[in-house]
């Protein structure tokens, strides 16, 4: 019985993989990609599935880029592998924030992480100040920069709320 359910899930993932490859997405199981698809769909953005770029762009302007952070209820969205030093690598890391027109923190339900509860829109100029603050306080050369839900609530604005 469980193996039959697993087999059905695997079959659906394999079919989804074929569909994804038809639009140029070669690794559907890339970490975070499905949630990024969900966020882009909600916000009406075009997904960028390359790991070397922002997560999405505006339909009307491919140069208007967006970065997506996600977490479950009670968590925080992170940007991984941010350099505190040397200065050149730090500046390069911060471009991952500043290249964007907006950042979005999407909060997913803890008991259903395929369903988005809330999305906060964040100004990159505000987010980069917080990232700098965290990097300055870090004792590590490479750190994760986190944006909590409470920080997003205080420093951003809600652009999507699910109504169950």
């Amino acid at each position: 019985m469980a193996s039959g359910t697993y087999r059905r899930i695997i079959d659906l993932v394999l079919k989804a993989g074929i569909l994804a490859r038809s639009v140029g997405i070669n690794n559907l199981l890339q970490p975070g990609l499905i949630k990024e698809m969900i966020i882009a769909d909600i916000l009406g953005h075009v997904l960028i599935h390359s790991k070397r770029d922002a997560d999405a762009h505006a339909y009307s302007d491919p140069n208007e880029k967006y970065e997506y952070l996600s977490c479950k209820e009670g968590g925080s969205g992170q940007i991984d592998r941010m350099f505190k030093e040397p200065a050149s690598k730090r500046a390069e890391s911060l471009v991952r924030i500043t290249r964007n027109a907006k950042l979005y923190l999407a909060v997913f339900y803890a008991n259903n992480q395929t369903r988005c509860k809330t999305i906060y829109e964040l100004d990159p100029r505000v987010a980069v100040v917080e990232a700098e603050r965290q990097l300055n306080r870090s004792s590590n050369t490479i750190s994760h920069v986190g944006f909590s839900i409470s920080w997003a609530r205080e420093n951003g604005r809600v652009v999507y709320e699910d109504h169950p």
Side-chain angles (χ1 to χ4, degrees), residues 31-120:
L33 185 60
I34 299 295
K35 284 187 176 177
E36 290 168 5
M37 288 176 149
I38 292 168
I39 298 164
D41 184 58
I42 290 169
L43 296 176
H45 297 158
V46 177
L47 181 73
I48 301 172
H49 49 83
S50 163
K51 287 300 282 178
R52 301 275 180 227
D53 205 344
D55 294 322
H57 67 75
Y59 265 102
S60 58
D61 183 359
N63 294 313
E64 184 176 314
K65 296 186 178 188
Y66 309 115
E67 188 69 24
Y68 297 155
L69 308 173
S70 66
C71 65
K72 64 182 180 179
E73 295 169 295
S76 67
Q78 291 188 340
I79 301 178
D80 295 341
R81 299 194 48 78
M82 297 286 286
F83 282 81
K84 176 179 182 171
E85 52 194 12
S88 61
K89 288 218 179 240
R90 181 179 180 131
E92 195 176 307
S93 291
L94 293 172
V95 166
R96 293 167 54 199
I97 297 172
T98 59
R99 70 183 171 195
N100 300 291
K102 298 290 181 189
L103 278 73
Y104 294 91
L105 173 63
V107 181
F108 286 80
Y109 288 98
N111 64 350
N112 181 356
Q113 292 186 49
T114 60
R115 187 168 171 194
C116 188
K117 177 180 180 179
T118 310
I119 301 177
Y120 296 92

